[in-house]
Amino acid sequence: MKWSSGKNTVGEVGEDQLLSLISTHAQTHSELAIPIGDDAACLTVGDSSLVVTVDAQLEGQHFHREWLSPRQLGYRAFRVSASDVSAMGCLPKWALMSLQIPPDLNVQSFEEIMAGFQQACADASTVLVGGNLAKTNQIGLHITVIGQSTSSPLSRADASDGDYLWVTGSLGSAAAGRLLLELPKLPDNSLPLIEKWQCPPARWDLCGRLCSEGIATAAMDISDGLYTDASRMARASSLSIEIDLDHLPIHPLTPRAADYLKTTLYELVVRGGEDYEVLFAGPETLPDWAMATGVRRIGRFKPGDGLVTLKYRGSEFRSGDIPTGWDPFEGTP
Amino acid sequence: MKWSSGKNTVGEVGEDQLLSLISTHAQTHSELAIPIGDDAACLTVGDSSLVVTVDAQLEGQHFHREWLSPRQLGYRAFRVSASDVSAMGCLPKWALMSLQIPPDLNVQSFEEIMAGFQQACADASTVLVGGNLAKTNQIGLHITVIGQSTSSPLSRADASDGDYLWVTGSLGSAAAGRLLLELPKLPDNSLPLIEKWQCPPARWDLCGRLCSEGIATAAMDISDGLYTDASRMARASSLSIEIDLDHLPIHPLTPRAADYLKTTLYELVVRGGEDYEVLFAGPETLPDWAMATGVRRIGRFKPGDGLVTLKYRGSEFRSGDIPTGWDPFEGTP
């Protein structure tokens, strides 16, 4: 049946290259206000803008059962998909779950997955409207989320020269939490970081308001790490970004976790993934209500061709680790 | 992490029971014009009605690589999901693909899957708007399709006492084709049946018009076999259905395939699944344009509580096989 068996396998090819193969198959279309490749697709339906996205949590690739309860898995799967909707400045409104489960999964665990997912939907005022169930040898949750916006959704490509780069929440906590879960024995005070991995943040209210009030000009979520995703945003906007390392929001437990994990703060905070926080472009200062959510100004857009440069105390940062010991709650903005 | 390991596994529980567990977790919601459990969810967006559905094609459960080419797999996956949209009387408009592939899959096969999917989208004037890519040990395609309707979408629950039951296409061809694919050697003339399995039919134009012109009152697609799905439609409409076996549309090659497969025509046509044809409720006669598509009147809705009774030459059919040898292109309506 013409399944090629040559040596050129998808495992040898980078995900970015596979995704670019996909986008060559996706048509450009006048009804797509934002082209494929952004966090979510934007559909125009009458006078309304909808955004729609799909993401998956697969056993073995994204999680192991020892890392979270079935209820946490269901909850997390919704939050991961909803993150793309948040990053478009939209509110998640409807969800569909295509679930694959092994036949030997306990019925109670199945119910717990569903209950966690439904709780996450309820907490977001999102309605689970459909689903599918299939049997396989590994658990997988493929979650489609549809969001709605009262204004034009935020693209990652619309930042302007001179915009400031802002970020929600903290960076590196989820990456630390994920690595801690792999240890045979957890050190003290691991739980806040682990919980950050287990339960990605809910940023739709914040981002929805930043969008509807015209404060943010562009946004995307951080799923593959600050450096990688900021680079994508810079390329999409045809600009460069200068990031101030001394302004990054870091949970107070993360530096110690880095030591314990025998890694660096730089790896966790700048390179670590699964934050599901939102990067957005905006003005130098934000209204009080936005500042009260803990957002941080961490850099600035400049003319350029998609490069991200890192600065520390005014000098370009080329290699090594972010110095530890500073107070992450001090300083900017 | 509280994964239950008791003996009560999802493999021991019927799919219908698992799905009913899911629907207890799905909220009823005023924006859902049609409650969860129908072929697709119906969403009201401004003045528009959207329907949205997700379905999956998983290696090992739904297909084996020997059964179809990667291009056919991509094509088929779209058609299977689009079938639910057709059965709501809507046109598929947007699609998302969450693809999981093993790392040892050849890149060319990956591209062929995408090309087949994209071709199916193009043939339906549907736009691929988003996707996700994950690595796993078995190929899986989770396809979300969003459809749009100019009138109220068709539910499976709105048939009336006295409505006639109609069906598109032929029944049992796909089930025969699927079983033929399992044989070590294919008999002559297998291909038309195999192709019916490989490429489910496109019924959206027909069903869209039956819906917009107010001809059909209810509809659903046949994925699990005529008897099972007609029973679901009867239960949803709180009626019974009487099906005339002598009026069922059967491909001329199917009776011989049943012999070859050492099964019965009854098993293939009444019990066999994966037809992806559409059952609909409508008047006794249809306009010429609809008759020209080959639809067949196969039964009638009566008062009752969800039972399906089968008749053959005026008498109730209780067991045994559908008599072979009649001309499937002769007779009703």
Side-chain angles (χ1 to χ4, degrees), chain A residues 84-223:
Chain A
D84 285 323
V85 169
S86 299
M88 305 293 287
C90 296
L91 304 181
K93 205 155 175 207
W94 299 290
L96 294 95
M97 171 193 266
S98 188
L99 180 62
Q100 57 192 47
I101 47 175
D104 64 356
L105 183 73
N106 186 276
V107 173
Q108 197 182 329
S109 296
F110 166 79
E111 286 196 85
E112 289 282 314
I113 292 172
M114 290 308 306
F117 186 79
Q118 180 53 35
Q119 186 62 50
C121 285
D123 290 350
S125 302
T126 296
V127 186
L128 171 59
V129 293
N132 186 66
L133 191 60
K135 287 183 185 151
T136 182
N137 51 12
Q138 291 172 307
I139 298 172
L141 292 81
H142 295 253
I143 309 299
T144 300
V145 177
I146 304 174
Q148 200 163 13
S149 169
T150 48
S151 50
S152 283
L154 291 171
S155 161
R156 63 175 66 174
D158 288 342
S160 298
D161 177 24
D163 279 351
Y164 287 83
L165 181 69
W166 294 79
V167 70
T168 63
S170 68
L171 296 171
S173 315
R178 235 277 279 116
L179 291 170
L180 287 167
L181 282 167
E182 292 186 23
L183 297 178
K185 187 177 176 301
L186 290 180
D188 291 343
N189 294 318
S190 297
L191 208 58
L193 300 175
I194 287 174
E195 284 173 347
K196 183 77 198 299
W197 178 82
Q198 289 168 331
C199 184
R203 300 299 179 208
W204 47 81
D205 284 334
L206 168 60
C207 294
R209 193 165 170 193
L210 288 169
C211 176
S212 66
E213 297 193 7
I215 295 166
T217 57
M220 74 176 288
D221 77 334
I222 308 177
S223 53

Side-chain angles (χ1 to χ4, degrees), chain B residues 36-116:
Chain B
I36 200 164
D38 218 299
D39 294 282
C42 180
L43 315 177
T44 304
V45 180
D47 295 333
S48 299
S49 284
L50 294 185
V51 297
V52 57
T53 184
V54 64
D55 210 334
Q57 290 293 301
L58 296 182
E59 189 173 12
Q61 184 181 1
H62 303 102
F63 71 91
H64 295 282
R65 294 189 203 185
E66 305 79 51
W67 293 358
L68 74 186
S69 69
R71 186 175 287 257
Q72 287 170 324
L73 172 61
Y75 203 97
R76 174 178 162 83
F78 174 81
R79 284 285 178 92
V80 168
S81 285
S83 174
D84 285 324
V85 168
S86 299
M88 305 293 287
C90 297
L91 304 181
K93 204 153 176 211
W94 299 290
L96 294 95
M97 173 194 266
S98 188
L99 180 62
Q100 56 191 48
I101 46 175
D104 64 355
L105 183 73
N106 186 275
V107 173
Q108 196 182 328
S109 297
F110 166 79
E111 287 197 84
E112 289 282 314
I113 293 171
M114 291 308 305

Side-chain angles (χ1 to χ4, degrees), chain B residues 10-314:
Chain B
V10 294
E12 296 160 358
V13 174
E15 190 182 350
D16 278 350
Q17 193 182 333
L18 295 177
L19 289 175
S20 78
L21 285 173
I22 292 178
S23 56
T24 63
H25 285 292
Q27 297 167 305
T28 53
H29 201 275
S30 61
E31 281 168 86
L32 290 183
I34 294 176
I36 200 164
D38 218 299
D39 294 282
C42 180
L43 315 177
T44 304
V45 180
D47 295 333
S48 299
S49 284
L50 294 185
V51 297
V52 57
T53 184
V54 64
D55 210 334
Q57 290 293 301
L58 296 182
E59 189 173 12
Q61 184 181 1
H62 303 102
F63 71 91
H64 295 282
R65 294 189 203 185
E66 305 79 51
W67 293 358
L68 74 186
S69 69
R71 186 175 287 257
Q72 287 170 324
L73 172 61
Y75 203 97
R76 174 178 162 83
F78 174 81
R79 284 285 178 92
V80 168
S81 285
S83 174
D84 285 324
V85 168
S86 299
M88 305 293 287
C90 297
L91 304 181
K93 204 153 176 211
W94 299 290
L96 294 95
M97 173 194 266
S98 188
L99 180 62
Q100 56 191 48
I101 46 175
D104 64 355
L105 183 73
N106 186 275
V107 173
Q108 196 182 328
S109 297
F110 166 79
E111 287 197 84
E112 289 282 314
I113 293 171
M114 291 308 305
F117 186 80
Q118 181 52 35
Q119 186 62 53
C121 286
D123 290 350
S125 302
T126 297
V127 186
L128 171 59
V129 293
N132 187 66
L133 191 59
K135 287 184 185 149
T136 181
N137 52 11
Q138 292 173 306
I139 298 171
L141 292 82
H142 295 253
I143 309 299
T144 300
V145 177
I146 304 174
Q148 200 163 13
S149 170
T150 50
S151 48
S152 284
L154 291 171
S155 161
R156 63 176 64 174
D158 288 342
S160 298
D161 178 23
D163 278 352
Y164 287 82
L165 181 70
W166 294 80
V167 70
T168 62
S170 67
L171 297 171
S173 316
R178 235 277 279 117
L179 291 170
L180 287 167
L181 283 165
E182 293 187 21
L183 298 178
K185 185 177 176 301
L186 289 181
D188 292 343
N189 295 318
S190 297
L191 207 58
L193 301 175
I194 287 173
E195 285 173 345
K196 184 76 198 301
W197 178 82
Q198 288 169 332
C199 184
R203 301 297 180 209
W204 47 83
D205 283 334
L206 168 59
C207 295
R209 193 165 168 192
L210 288 169
C211 176
S212 65
E213 297 193 7
I215 295 167
T217 57
M220 74 176 288
D221 77 334
I222 308 177
S223 53
D224 294 331
L226 173 65
Y227 190 87
T228 298
D229 287 321
S231 298
R232 288 174 177 151
M233 196 171 180
R235 277 200 300 276
S237 293
S238 302
L239 294 169
S240 69
I241 299 177
E242 197 175 271
I243 292 178
D244 298 320
L245 291 184
D246 31 349
H247 293 166
L248 298 187
I250 301 174
H251 190 285
L253 291 172
T254 304
R256 222 170 50 184
D259 289 345
Y260 200 94
L261 289 162
K262 299 189 173 58
T263 183
T264 64
L265 203 53
Y266 177 82
E267 276 301 316
L268 294 179
V269 172
V270 181
R271 292 287 182 177
E274 303 192 83
D275 290 311
Y276 298 110
E277 296 292 355
V278 177
L279 278 175
F280 63 94
E284 187 172 7
T285 57
L286 296 188
D288 288 347
W289 67 262
M291 293 309 298
T293 66
V295 293
R296 280 283 184 104
R297 194 181 68 217
I298 62 168
R300 195 161 188 194
F301 288 85
K302 304 203 160 181
D305 51 358
L307 285 185
V308 169
T309 54
L310 306 172
K311 290 222 160 189
Y312 179 66
R313 294 194 180 156

